Amino acid sequence: LPSADVPPAGPVDLPLSLLEMGCSGRFELITHPIPNQPLPPQSTLPHGLPPTSLSLETEVEKQFLRDAAWLPIHDTDFAFQKFLKVTQRKVNVDSLINCTPSSLHSGVSVVRDPTTGMLLDFTEVLLENTSLSAKNSLSLQRQPGPPSESLRGSNTNYPFLPGGMEELTLDQIQKKSELEEDIDFENDLLRIPPGLKVGMDFTDKDAKIAKAEVNLMSLLSTLNDITYLQPEAEEKEEGKGSKEAPKLPRTNSLEDLGIKDVVSSSTPSEKGKDDKSKPKGNSEENKKWAVPVNITSPCDDFYKRIPNPAFKWPFELDVFQKQAVLRLEAHDSVFVAAHTSAGKTVVAEYAIALSQKHMTRTIYTSPIKALSNQKFRDFKNTFGDVGLLTGDVQLSPESSCLIMTTEILRSMLYNGSEVIRDLEWVIFDEVHYINDAERGVVWEEVLIMLPDHVSIILLSATVPNALEFSDWIGRIKKKHIYVISTMKRPVPLEHYLYTGNSTKTQKEMFLLMDATGNFLTKGYYAAVDAKKERTSKHAQSFGTKSTSHNTSASQDRSVWLTLLHFLSQRQQTPVVAFTFSRTRCDDNARSLDSMDMTTSIEKAEIHSFFQKSLSRLRGGDRQLPQILVMRDLLKRGIAVHHSGILPILKEVIEMLFSRGLVKVLFATETFAMGVNMPARTVVFDSIRKHDGTGFRNLLPGEYIQMAGRAGRRGLDATGTVIILCKAGVQEMSDLRVMMLGKPTTLQSQFRLTYTMILNLLRVEALRVTDMMRRSFSESHRDTQAHEKRISELKKMVSSLPPLDTEGQLSDMLPYYHTVTELRTTTEALQRAILESVNGLKALSVGRVVLVNNKQHLNALGVILQVSSDSVNRTFTALIICEKGNEEREGEGKENNNTFPHFYNTALFIPEGPCSHTVQKLKLQDISAITVKTLKVIPDRIIDNYNKRQQPRFRLDPPGQAISTATQELLRLAEANSSGIATLDPVNDLQLKSVDVVEDSMRVRVLQDILREFNCIHSPTFAEQFALVKERMSVQEELDRLLFLVSDQSLSLLPEYHQRIKVLQSLQYVDSSGAVQLKGRVACQISSHELLLTELLFENVLSPLAPEDSAALLSCLVFTQNTQVEPHITSTLKEGIDRVLSVAKRIGELQRDCGIPQTAEEFVGQFKFGLTEVVYCWARGMPFAEIAQLTDVQEGTVVRCIQRLDEVLKEVRQAARIVGDSVLGSKMEKASLAIRRDIVFTASLYTH
């Protein structure tokens, strides 16, 4: 109803009013209103009746014509000034203060009839957590942000709480950190807020403050007491009941109770049952997070358990796929490790289908952009509702399945994207990419940051440590990961050596490993012989090794022609030939100018597909030399695939290859990484590759990944892998390792990046140390087991008897510490001696040594034998001793626990008749090497001694050799009774390393100190020392474990402090760790964040034209070296110098803060080889001309310009944050200038 103007109630009007009931439109009549009050319609709704419909015309007129406040004040236009005089403009200061209305604290909920579902009424419901927003909370309860930020999030948002990170418990909140103190709410209040010059004066001059009746702290303390009273009360009750029930130990959770107590008290018949259920109820400590799934037995009841699956395939699933699907139905996380063609995609497809059924979302991440594009096409055909997000493309982001690169998912997690709320699955494809030194850390960050409600699917090539990796993920996420790994290949492989190089020898192919995996040495030797027959007599005399690794181009050409001729005869095409250099790929393809492998029908098909695909290029771009060369090659069924090829050409080649129209594809390793394009045959041009530092053989993992491209499921019975022996046959051991070796284990490449540190610092609840503690590199830290042991040790310490440190024993503890230090120092010295040549020479047969162990104290011995193993060397020696102390079992007198030989150098001289023993000594037992040697006959002494150990010769007198040696030792001992001269490691043994010199000096000092102590003269010294030792050993283990559990033991902690120091000195964060404006900007930028931010704040980019700044920033994305010197303008030269000086400054600062990277290395990573190319491209020069300016291949140029566009977008974003709109629009212009033609042609896969 339009609101009618009702006249005020008069005396004639009836005292009636309407009360509106809810939104259902029912009214009630109220007949006794309050006297003298007007009668408006009243409502039960929390916020009154909904407004009546507004007239748009009046609204517009009111806002824009009658109210001049919306017009700008600073317009200098004359007519406008006149208009301002006509309209009286009221100054409204309040309009400048924008205060967001507080959120509604209540909402309306529906009451329905439980049986019919009919609407009955509406009730008002109080809402909790209304104040939570993306700016202050990690909770999923927070309200969504603006729709514009829902996809990528915003860098001022908090991320959602990562799964497995616990929110603080009450105990942790109650514990105060060092910085906290009790606040006294009356005295010592701070007067000046941080950042302000003046503050507030709280001293009240006149009025006396009435003493507060209740002090807040006292209130809190009573609360604490209450919480502590409860357990006692409970225990009292338990005490009453304990007579009837066996008493269980009190704990906070049922799991800690362990089942053992229950089992022991249960009757034998129950015992079996309990044992079975034991693993389930077992306590947290020994929980295994990774659960291996058995895939050997067939899964018969699959269709029973999943009667209507979310997705059906036209083929019967393998066992491992069925197991994975069952786990997905149970909403568990899985790790699937299988060979490339085994069908891991099935698992991903099922997850996507499930999330469509559940109305949730799935994110599919892949390491390579090309792979993302292909998956987008595949999934789009299967599911339809699929979106793609990469650095430069964004297609239907509202879809239920999103395909993206891992970096984008990382930024979505850090920026709290709303997509995460609906997320059910994240699928990580090609997880073994976590080994990538550059980008591996991104996977770890994403895995750590994913919230709890997201389940994880990991797809990987076969890796040996899948269990360990999954256990790490399970532990940080606190959920089970089911590991399904299968070594089975759907199409088994046969590996051959090929030695042919002419029509005569073209059949020389030798089977080296058959389909069942047996290595055949026969085939190897046959290949060697075949190769040998052709080499001259001269070369034969040197064996196979003499051949060089390189062959000439003409030799190469003949090998390839022969091989391909042979393979096409045997119908073994299509072939992928892996070659580990791009130039080699191109040369090989060009050298096959006489080969033609396609029929005329195929030629027509290739031609039409090629023309159609390139129809979206501009005319000039279609005539690029690379495209023309490739067109001719393709028509003959030959193609090349590597990073130097234009992206659109690569896609054309991939599509033609998967249709079987490309018969021979010369590819580099990247082809094997992502694209699932199997062939019938794989050929290895060589098995050595250059990995950026030097040449090495292929690793087993790389070989398996590439060889796995052979064999197409459903088309070939076996796949053929051929290794070319162009120069000579490879070493058998190398081939063996490569084919049968373990693939590379997954290793953590976790490292700290400034972006990560800043992103975590801006959120109080997340600490960088938490991220470090959860990284895979720290996965060996088993904190739970440590915590358990720590509590045991703490109990032990408290149960030990107190120490007696009175009188003479007062310096007992310092004595213990000195002795311990002396022990460790001497052990280090002994190790150094043993590892040195001179030391081993001195410890040879006949050397007299000083022996100290549980049995002997300062006894002289002579070495008879030295064992040969270098790890734990033992010395057999003849030692003099008391009669009756020859045997070991007596374990000597206990006094040796106190290490008396450290201060008492007097030699052992037997009181009674001198006896002897022959023993194996460890290095620790020899406390010094004397300067003396004796002539001994070791074999005789040992034989004689061993003979007299037998019972029947026990009483024979010792042989001649032994008695002479014993007499000599005794004479030495009596001559030097107060101490014997020993060899000094530094002067005598010539060990001059710093450690040894320092240690030997320290030993002397410590020995002198030891003589000063009083406690050694105390009568009870020995037993007291034993107590101290026991107590201290427990204490030391406790300290060690406490250190291991603490953040201090993180291997990256020192580097973290160094990086924080860098950020503080550049003012990205302040001294308390709060992120400043510069830090905010750096958060926006994904790589080289320090350099870019510094360039922004030093206004290096502002004075430049858009094309100049684009050219300058190309140094951040270009990583190759070029031979061509670019010709550039003087402004660009200046710009480059400024960039280099900023980089140098950052590099030096990093070095000063302790980061182990020299300034030169830091500056060296920025390469300016493409500045001219980008400059000309931004100014509109066609691509064909640009390609001639540089020796960098076309594909690389395109990729760099595409990545440069992402950098420009980031800088634009950053400029907005700083408020530099001019720079922002410049970046936009630069971005538009480079986004054209062939560089930004849309991918064929996404159309």
Side-chain angles (χ1 to χ4, degrees):
L1 292 170
S3 49
D5 290 337
V6 185
V12 221
D13 288 310
L14 290 173
L16 291 177
S17 171
L18 286 177
L19 170 65
E20 181 271 344
M21 301 289 290
C23 294
S24 50
R26 288 191 309 181
F27 289 90
E28 268 184 29
L29 212 54
I30 298 181
T31 49
H32 295 286
I34 309 148
N36 306 331
Q37 286 284 324
L39 304 169
Q42 293 159 337
S43 165
T44 55
L45 284 177
H47 300 289
L49 283 170
T52 51
S53 60
L54 304 165
S55 142
L56 285 179
E57 281 172 35
T58 49
E59 283 298 303
V60 172
E61 186 183 322
K62 196 171 87 189
Q63 193 173 351
F64 294 119
L65 295 179
R66 296 190 196 158
D67 178 14
W70 63 275
L71 292 169
I73 307 172
H74 305 296
D75 202 326
T76 48
D77 189 293
F78 171 68
F80 181 71
Q81 293 295 340
K82 241 170 117 180
F83 173 67
L84 278 185
K85 288 197 183 81
V86 178
T87 60
Q88 272 77 45
R89 180 174 189 145
K90 292 192 192 70
V91 177
N92 183 4
V93 184
D94 294 352
S95 67
L96 297 175
I97 303 169
N98 177 21
C99 179
T100 50
S102 64
S103 49
L104 299 180
H105 56 84
S106 64
V108 173
S109 153
V110 184
V111 181
R112 291 180 183 275
D113 184 306
T115 50
T116 59
M118 216 178 104
L119 276 182
L120 296 180
D121 201 356
F122 294 85
T123 56
E124 188 172 0
V125 187
L126 286 179
L127 302 176
E128 287 178 11
N129 302 341
T130 48
S131 59
L132 299 185
S133 75
K135 308 290 180 232
N136 62 14
S137 154
L138 301 168
S139 159
L140 284 163
Q141 306 294 317
R142 71 193 197 194
Q143 52 185 8
S148 60
E149 290 175 2
S150 68
L151 181 65
R152 297 281 174 115
S154 132
N155 76 328
T156 51
N157 282 357
Y158 276 23
F160 290 108
L161 183 77
M165 292 216 184
E166 304 77 15
E167 301 193 20
L168 293 176
T169 60
L170 201 64
D171 303 341
Q172 283 167 311
I173 295 171
Q174 282 177 349
K175 260 192 229 140
K176 294 189 180 62
S177 71
E178 309 84 75
L179 302 172
E180 285 183 79
E181 47 195 282
D182 286 337
I183 302 171
D184 181 349
F185 286 103
E186 282 142 22
N187 317 317
D188 307 329
L189 288 176
L190 300 173
R191 303 242 158 71
I192 301 175
L196 297 188
K197 298 277 185 297
V198 287
M200 184 109 179
D201 187 9
F202 289 118
T203 50
D204 206 341
K205 306 293 183 295
D206 319 317
K208 292 271 174 285
I209 303 173
K211 179 85 177 71
E213 295 295 309
V214 178
N215 182 345
L216 192 59
M217 293 327 283
S218 66
L219 254 180
L220 282 178
S221 64
T222 57
L223 273 178
N224 281 359
D225 295 344
I226 293 170
T227 55
Y228 294 138
L229 281 172
Q230 280 172 334
E232 287 167 24
E234 280 177 26
E235 267 166 20
K236 277 178 201 150
E237 283 171 25
E238 269 187 20
K240 288 176 205 155
S242 66
K243 290 170 188 126
E244 301 90 63
K247 192 161 177 209
L248 285 171
R250 288 200 59 246
T251 64
N252 300 333
S253 78
L254 291 174
E255 285 177 340
D256 297 351
L257 285 172
I259 299 264
K260 297 192 189 67
D261 311 332
V262 187
V263 176
S264 56
S265 62
S266 61
T267 56
S269 62
E270 286 173 3
K271 231 180 185 149
K273 274 188 247 163
D274 278 282
D275 280 344
K276 276 180 201 141
S277 63
K278 224 177 191 176
K280 276 188 195 140
N282 218 339
S283 53
E284 285 272 316
E285 278 78 22
N286 37 22
K287 206 186 227 175
K288 274 273 173 276
W289 293 107
V291 184
V293 175
N294 173 22
I295 55 160
T296 47
S297 54
C299 186
D300 299 323
D301 55 348
F302 178 70
Y303 296 102
K304 257 191 231 130
R305 287 165 70 178
I306 304 180
N308 43 356
F311 191 80
K312 294 189 174 70
W313 288 271
F315 50 86
E316 177 70 15
L317 295 186
D318 289 348
V319 178
F320 88 90
Q321 293 167 329
K322 287 184 179 174
Q323 289 288 2
V325 167
L326 286 173
R327 296 271 61 107
L328 296 190
E329 281 283 354
H331 212 291
D332 292 321
S333 299
V334 292
F335 182 114
V336 181
H339 289 298
T340 314
S341 51
K344 297 190 289 265
T345 323
V346 164
V347 185
E349 286 174 335
Y350 196 80
I352 297 170
L354 261 183
S355 75
Q356 289 190 345
K357 183 174 162 187
H358 296 165
M359 303 288 190
T360 53
R361 301 180 98 166
T362 301
I363 286 180
Y364 182 101
T365 77
S366 69
I368 308 166
K369 205 160 104 183
L371 194 56
S372 301
N373 291 343
Q374 282 178 355
K375 284 294 175 204
F376 174 72
R377 183 194 57 175
D378 298 350
F379 288 160
K380 185 100 180 144
N381 295 340
T382 317
F383 296 105
D385 187 18
V386 180
L388 176 70
L389 294 178
T390 57
D392 50 355
V393 186
Q394 183 167 319
L395 297 172
S396 52
E398 66 294 331
S399 313
S400 76
C401 170
L402 286 178
I403 294 173
M404 58 181 75
T405 45
T406 322
E407 274 77 1
I408 290 180
L409 177 55
R410 171 176 67 171
S411 79
M412 279 167 64
L413 285 166
Y414 277 138
N415 294 344
S417 152
E418 301 295 337
V419 173
I420 309 294
R421 290 176 189 268
D422 315 332
L423 199 51
E424 183 176 13
W425 304 103
V426 173
I427 304 165
F428 294 94
D429 201 0
E430 311 282 338
V431 176
H432 45 268
Y433 222 90
I434 204 165
N435 285 350
D436 184 74
E438 188 58 34
R439 294 169 57 207
V441 57
V442 183
W443 271 256
E444 292 195 41
E445 282 180 78
V446 169
L447 283 166
I448 294 169
M449 292 295 295
L450 279 176
D452 216 9
H453 65 277
V454 183
S455 296
I456 302 167
I457 297 174
L458 303 141
L459 309 177
S460 152
T462 47
V463 283
N465 60 341
L467 266 177
E468 177 200 350
F469 183 73
S470 310
D471 193 56
W472 162 68
I473 297 178
R475 197 162 59 237
I476 60 170
K477 288 289 166 232
K478 300 226 172 5
K479 52 171 95 166
H480 288 305
I481 309 281
Y482 290 86
V483 182
I484 299 170
S485 62
T486 169
M487 294 303 288
K488 195 178 135 250
R489 277 189 184 282
V491 183
L493 301 181
E494 293 177 337
H495 304 256
Y496 293 89
L497 288 174
Y498 187 80
T499 57
N501 63 357
S502 63
T503 32
K504 204 172 74 188
T505 58
Q506 68 168 5
K507 291 199 168 59
E508 288 186 3
M509 200 159 95
F510 302 96
L511 183 62
L512 188 64
M513 198 162 102
D514 58 21
T516 52
N518 304 321
F519 192 84
L520 312 171
T521 44
K522 199 169 76 194
Y524 178 78
Y525 290 121
V528 175
D529 293 342
K531 197 78 187 153
K532 239 187 202 167
E533 275 172 30
R534 283 196 295 282
T535 46
S536 65
K537 288 273 172 281
H538 168 72
Q540 277 187 23
S541 55
F542 297 110
T544 49
K545 286 204 187 73
S546 64
T547 48
S548 68
H549 282 298
N550 299 331
T551 47
S552 67
S554 58
Q555 280 174 308
D556 264 14
R557 178 166 180 258
S558 60
V559 171
W560 278 113
L561 283 169
T562 314
L563 173 71
L564 294 174
H565 196 77
F566 175 61
L567 289 177
S568 55
Q569 268 180 357
R570 291 182 43 175
Q571 278 155 15
Q572 292 276 64
T573 55
V575 180
V576 178
F578 284 111
T579 316
F580 300 114
S581 97
R582 287 177 302 206
T583 41
R584 203 64 173 279
C585 277
D586 297 339
D587 297 346
N588 283 343
R590 279 200 204 98
S591 69
L592 300 179
D593 44 17
S594 59
M595 291 281 300
D596 187 349
M597 307 181 76
T598 49
T599 61
S600 51
I601 300 172
E602 287 174 330
K603 280 190 173 58
E605 205 179 327
I606 291 170
H607 180 81
S608 66
F609 183 80
F610 197 79
Q611 293 310 100
K612 199 172 77 199
S613 304
L614 296 187
S615 61
R616 36 172 96 161
L617 292 183
R618 278 195 13 200
D621 286 342
R622 286 183 214 166
Q623 301 304 314
L624 287 174
Q626 197 184 59
I627 290 183
L628 297 176
V629 170
M630 199 60 75
R631 194 179 66 197
D632 298 340
L633 282 176
L634 278 170
K635 280 190 184 155
R636 291 184 285 118
I638 300 166
V640 182
H641 185 290
H642 56 67
S643 59
I645 304 284
L646 292 164
I648 188 158
L649 259 187
K650 269 206 279 206
E651 292 182 340
V652 169
I653 290 164
E654 285 162 13
M655 288 175 168
L656 286 172
F657 182 79
S658 54
R659 290 186 184 187
L661 295 171
V662 170
K663 307 297 181 187
V664 184
L665 177 63
F666 289 98
T668 52
E669 203 180 349
T670 43
F671 183 74
M673 203 35 233
V675 271
N676 185 12
M677 305 247 161
R680 171 157 304 176
T681 309
V682 165
V683 179
F684 285 91
D685 177 67
S686 98
I687 61 165
R688 295 177 69 71
K689 70 172 230 185
H690 193 275
D691 60 353
T693 46
F695 282 96
R696 60 171 173 77
N697 281 343
L698 289 180
L699 299 170
E702 296 169 326
Y703 179 76
I704 288 170
Q705 179 87 17
M706 286 184 263
R709 296 288 162 207
R712 295 163 301 172
R713 196 169 187 167
L715 291 173
D716 308 326
T718 59
T720 312
V721 182
I722 299 176
I723 297 172
L724 293 189
C725 308
K726 289 192 296 194
V729 185
Q730 289 83 357
E731 286 293 304
M732 178 140 95
S733 55
D734 294 349
L735 292 170
R736 249 197 120 98
V737 165
M738 194 173 71
M739 292 177 180
L740 298 167
K742 273 243 170 88
T744 329
T745 51
L746 294 177
Q747 277 163 340
S748 176
Q749 300 293 341
F750 188 78
R751 60 178 205 283
L752 292 168
T753 58
Y754 291 112
T755 322
M756 181 204 304
I757 293 175
L758 289 166
N759 265 316
L760 291 172
L761 280 179
R762 65 187 177 86
V763 183
E764 285 110 57
L766 300 177
R767 301 207 313 281
V768 186
T769 45
D770 285 340
M771 179 74 100
M772 288 163 15
R773 197 181 307 112
R774 284 176 167 72
S775 77
F776 187 36
S777 53
E778 298 285 347
S779 67
H780 55 269
R781 300 162 59 107
D782 187 6
T783 324
Q784 285 182 327
H786 288 338
E787 300 271 352
K788 196 172 161 195
R789 181 84 183 115
I790 286 173
S791 53
E792 283 173 20
L793 290 171
K794 280 188 175 155
K795 279 193 199 117
M796 274 171 71
V797 171
S798 53
S799 66
L800 288 174
L803 297 177
D804 174 15
T805 49
E806 299 298 309
Q808 260 186 330
L809 295 171
S810 57
D811 51 7
M812 184 69 120
L813 282 174
Y815 172 78
Y816 174 80
H817 291 306
T818 319
V819 167
T820 319
E821 189 186 347
L822 186 52
R823 252 176 68 213
T824 48
T825 321
T826 35
E827 272 172 22
L829 256 182
Q830 284 171 327
R831 265 199 304 279
I833 291 173
L834 242 198
E835 283 161 10
S836 70
V837 183
N838 292 346
L840 274 179
K841 268 190 200 151
L843 280 167
S844 52
V845 175
R847 173 68 66 182
V848 178
V849 291
L850 203 56
V851 181
N852 275 297
N853 55 18
K854 286 222 166 134
Q855 187 181 354
H856 304 284
L857 169 59
N858 284 353
L860 286 185
V862 61
I863 293 182
L864 305 175
Q865 256 183 4
V866 182
S867 73
S868 54
D869 70 323
S870 53
V871 189
N872 27 19
R873 221 176 261 284
T874 56
F875 304 93
T876 311
L878 170 81
I879 310 158
I880 53 173
C881 61
E882 291 279 4
K883 190 115 175 105
N885 187 21
E886 294 93 347
E887 300 301 326
R888 265 250 160 120
E889 61 246 3
E891 281 305 311
K893 304 185 204 72
E894 266 309 298
N895 69 350
N896 280 22
N897 243 351
T898 57
F899 314 111
H901 62 271
F902 282 144
Y903 53 85
N904 176 9
T905 55
L907 291 188
F908 161 78
I909 299 170
E911 295 165 10
C914 173
S915 181
H916 60 269
T917 172
V918 173
Q919 284 182 357
K920 278 206 165 95
L921 299 176
K922 289 199 185 64
L923 184 64
Q924 295 84 288
D925 302 335
I926 299 176
S927 54
I929 308 172
T930 66
V931 288
K932 305 275 192 254
T933 51
L934 294 182
K935 271 229 173 67
V936 286
I937 311 164
D939 302 348
R940 279 202 197 161
I941 296 182
I942 292 171
D943 293 346
N944 183 290
Y945 183 78
N946 288 344
K947 178 180 146 198
R948 285 183 303 116
Q949 291 307 301
Q950 296 167 10
R952 57 183 184 150
F953 300 118
R954 172 90 15 117
L955 299 170
D956 288 12
Q960 180 67 37
I962 288 198
S963 43
T964 10
T966 316
Q967 291 305 322
E968 289 285 316
L969 286 174
L970 187 58
R971 219 184 62 245
L972 272 175
E974 283 163 344
N976 308 299
S977 56
S978 62
I980 192 164
T982 58
L983 290 178
D984 181 78
V986 180
N987 301 334
D988 303 327
L989 298 177
Q990 303 295 320
L991 299 184
K992 292 284 195 266
S993 75
V994 185
D995 302 343
V996 177
V997 177
E998 280 178 359
D999 283 352
S1000 65
M1001 286 163 67
R1002 183 82 189 129
V1003 165
R1004 271 188 225 113
V1005 174
L1006 289 170
Q1007 282 174 338
D1008 295 344
I1009 297 176
L1010 275 185
R1011 298 198 178 86
E1012 310 297 309
F1013 280 105
N1014 287 326
C1015 55
I1016 39 185
H1017 307 307
S1018 158
T1020 56
F1021 169 65
E1023 57 209 63
Q1024 282 300 329
F1025 186 79
L1027 288 175
V1028 171
K1029 194 172 165 215
E1030 182 189 5
R1031 188 182 195 103
M1032 293 311 278
S1033 62
V1034 174
Q1035 189 61 48
E1036 276 159 19
E1037 191 185 349
L1038 184 61
D1039 293 343
R1040 186 179 63 84
L1041 288 177
L1042 283 170
F1043 170 72
L1044 281 181
V1045 174
S1046 74
D1047 288 344
Q1048 302 309 313
S1049 63
L1050 291 169
S1051 52
L1052 286 171
L1053 195 70
E1055 190 195 337
Y1056 168 57
H1057 291 312
Q1058 290 156 1
R1059 290 196 176 238
I1060 288 283
K1061 218 153 116 197
V1062 173
L1063 291 172
Q1064 282 176 351
S1065 40
L1066 287 172
Q1067 291 169 331
Y1068 284 53
V1069 297
D1070 64 11
S1071 52
S1072 65
V1075 179
Q1076 303 299 313
L1077 177 65
K1078 276 171 108 175
R1080 271 266 134 72
V1081 171
C1083 279
Q1084 273 296 322
I1085 298 164
S1086 55
S1087 62
H1088 303 304
E1089 49 280 352
L1090 291 190
L1091 182 70
L1092 255 179
T1093 312
E1094 289 303 302
L1095 293 180
L1096 258 181
F1097 278 88
E1098 290 192 12
N1099 267 349
V1100 175
L1101 299 172
S1102 299
L1104 299 176
E1107 56 268 28
D1108 286 324
S1109 42
L1112 202 55
L1113 291 175
S1114 70
C1115 72
L1116 302 175
V1117 290
F1118 181 60
T1119 50
Q1120 296 181 354
N1121 293 319
T1122 52
Q1123 262 51 65
V1124 183
E1125 200 50 47
H1127 309 290
I1128 44 181
T1129 58
S1130 55
T1131 47
L1132 258 184
K1133 272 214 173 66
E1134 281 168 32
I1136 290 181
D1137 293 339
R1138 284 195 68 179
V1139 171
L1140 287 174
S1141 72
V1142 171
K1144 191 161 182 279
R1145 199 186 79 230
I1146 297 174
E1148 282 167 354
L1149 173 69
Q1150 288 202 70
R1151 209 191 49 231
D1152 297 342
C1153 292
I1155 289 176
Q1157 185 187 32
T1158 63
E1160 290 71 37
E1161 281 171 7
F1162 183 76
V1163 176
Q1165 55 185 341
F1166 306 110
K1167 310 247 167 55
F1168 293 92
L1170 277 192
T1171 36
E1172 181 191 10
V1173 174
V1174 173
Y1175 180 73
C1176 296
W1177 176 250
R1179 297 189 58 179
M1181 189 186 271
F1183 196 81
E1185 293 172 37
I1186 281 180
Q1188 272 136 36
L1189 295 174
T1190 174
D1191 58 347
V1192 180
Q1193 285 178 308
E1194 291 92 326
T1196 315
V1197 173
V1198 170
R1199 187 79 198 93
C1200 276
I1201 297 179
Q1202 287 175 339
R1203 288 184 45 208
L1204 177 62
D1205 184 52
E1206 294 172 28
V1207 172
L1208 292 173
K1209 278 185 189 157
E1210 284 176 348
V1211 177
R1212 190 179 84 206
Q1213 213 39 43
R1216 278 193 193 146
I1217 296 177
V1218 184
D1220 185 347
S1221 55
V1222 181
L1223 181 61
S1225 57
K1226 251 186 208 167
M1227 289 299 140
E1228 191 127 19
K1229 274 184 202 139
S1231 178
L1232 284 172
I1234 62 172
R1235 287 183 72 89
R1236 62 186 174 85
D1237 297 358
I1238 190 163
V1239 177
F1240 281 88
T1241 317
S1243 157
L1244 296 177
Y1245 287 115
T1246 57
H1247 277 263

